[in-house]
Every structure is written in C-alpha cells, then in structure tokens.
Amino acid sequence: MLRAPGRGGGGIPRYARSDLQIGEVTVRAGELVLLDNRAANHDPAVFAGPDRFDVARHGPAHLSFGHGGHYCLGAPLARIELQAVFSQLPARFPTMRLAVPVEQLRVRSGTLTGGLTELPVTW
C-alpha cells in the first residue's frame, strides 16, 4: 500500500562508499548518486501490476520505509496510523468513491516524496 505513485524525479542524495557497476554505468567511490525512492516497489518480477493502485495488495515486503541502517524509526507508528484510518473509512463512508476519473488525478512534482496533488472523493 505504501508505494509512491509514478516514477522519476527527485531523490535522496547519497555518496557511493565503493566502486560499483549499475548496468553499463560505473559509479566510483565518493561520487554523488540520487536514490529515486519513487522507483522502488515497481519491479514487475516482484509485484503483480506494479503501477496499479491496489488497496488490498499483499505480497513481498516493500522499501517504502527504507532498509537496514536507514530504516525509518517512525515506520511502526505510521503503519498503525494508516491501518486505523483505512480500516474505518469503509464503515464510516460506505459509498465513498472518487469524485473524478482516475485519469484526472495528478501527481505532485518537485518534492522528494511525490504523492497526489489532491484526491477528490464523494459519498
């Protein structure tokens, strides 16, 4: 569920700790790289329909909160908050639906995390 929509743009700046090869590109130790977190969790070999929003999606772990030493300390709280909100929406608003066609939804650009500019709903 916590998968950023879209791909490309922005990124988390990091410096390579060692030389590495990514495809045909060589990254040398000390060079600046941008980790595009919106590209994470979109591998069709791992996620069925990776570009489709699916609120009931189950499957392998995702990278939305980072990994290892860079794992977000606030992730457990964020998960609890989101579970609380999303578990109550259908009961509170059983007829909730998008107020515009999906094609009219716009992704925010120029920010690190992306997201929709707005999500108009009606019930």
Side-chain angles (χ1 to χ4, degrees), residues 21-96:
Q21 190 75 24
I22 304 172
E24 296 182 19
V25 176
T26 301
V27 177
R28 302 278 179 218
E31 289 184 335
L32 177 67
V33 294
L34 289 176
L35 306 177
D36 187 352
N37 60 334
R38 292 190 302 171
N41 309 315
H42 289 271
D43 183 349
V46 178
F47 299 96
D51 293 325
R52 186 185 76 247
F53 177 73
D54 182 358
V55 71
R57 183 185 305 271
H58 294 284
H62 53 74
L63 300 173
S64 296
F65 290 116
H67 182 73
H70 295 284
Y71 188 74
C72 176
L73 292 175
L77 177 59
R79 288 182 199 277
I80 291 169
E81 290 172 336
L82 289 169
Q83 287 172 354
V85 168
F86 289 127
S87 69
Q88 297 303 309
L89 279 176
R92 173 106 170 139
F93 304 101
T95 61
M96 184 176 3

